Amino acid sequence: KIKGIEWIRLHYAYPTAFPEDVIEVMAREKKICKYLDIPFQHISDKMLSAMKRRHTKADAYALTRAKENGIKTRTLIRKDYSDIASYSKDMRDALLEEKADVIVYAGFMTILDEQVCDEFEGKMVNVHPSLIPSFCGKGYYGLHVHEEALKKGVKVSGATVHFVNEEVDGGKIIAQRAIPYEGDSIAELMAMIHPLEHQLYIDTIKKLIKQTK
């Protein structure tokens, strides 16, 4: 547990970079792992709330990284739209205007409708922290995936990159990597799978980009 939490604390060095599932792990482990002798133990509930609010706004740290690397960005905020249809339409139009070849989901939780999915079939990809079809679909995201996996007593978990369609985690599988795990710590399993997700995603996206050229 200490290794897992320590990895999370060090890997996400900037508050604006914390994803929702890591914040949730931190909030939970702060309450149940009182023996942890690391600075993480002293994170306050107020700080966790501030981090979560920051992450859900339009100033996501990804935009800062893009700016620092000269990458053009556009933002479409879901709460600015009254329904998913109008949001999906504007998203489709924006992606067409930008001539997107590969669309990479990275913490994007909104399920877009057929206006986007049909237009960009086979071009939209997402990564999921389990071996689909296990522990996937509606309600299975971030921390909840690992919780359910451990409840079932899994001995092997991993990550999956898949194409995106209108169904949650329902697109065709592109790539998977597995990792054995015999423990019972959500934080530790999450910390093991997270870098696996990153590397698998990067490797898969590179292959997809080559195929589009």
Side-chain angles (χ1 to χ4, degrees), residues 135 146 148-157 181-183 189:
F135 311 109
H146 308 303
E148 293 304 314
L150 291 180
K151 282 180 184 178
K152 290 291 186 180
V154 299
K155 302 298 182 256
V156 176
S157 192
Y181 183 68
E182 297 284 344
L189 179 59

Side-chain angles (χ1 to χ4, degrees), residues 44-105:
S44 67
D45 292 329
K46 185 177 180 181
M47 188 185 300
L48 287 167
S49 297
M51 287 160 58
K52 189 164 185 176
R53 287 197 304 273
R54 175 90 176 184
H55 181 72
T56 55
K57 289 186 177 181
D59 56 356
Y61 191 65
L63 297 174
T64 301
R65 286 180 172 173
K67 184 177 181 180
E68 290 173 350
N69 288 277
I71 299 171
K72 181 182 176 181
T73 63
R74 291 175 69 168
T75 56
L76 294 176
I77 310 302
R78 173 65 182 91
K79 67 180 182 180
D80 293 341
Y81 293 80
S82 60
D83 54 60
I84 194 63
S86 57
Y87 183 64
S88 294
K89 179 183 181 302
D90 278 7
M91 183 68 75
R92 179 201 63 194
D93 293 346
L95 292 169
L96 287 171
E97 288 171 13
E98 298 298 335
K99 297 180 173 58
D101 295 314
V102 178
I103 300 163
V104 179
Y105 279 46

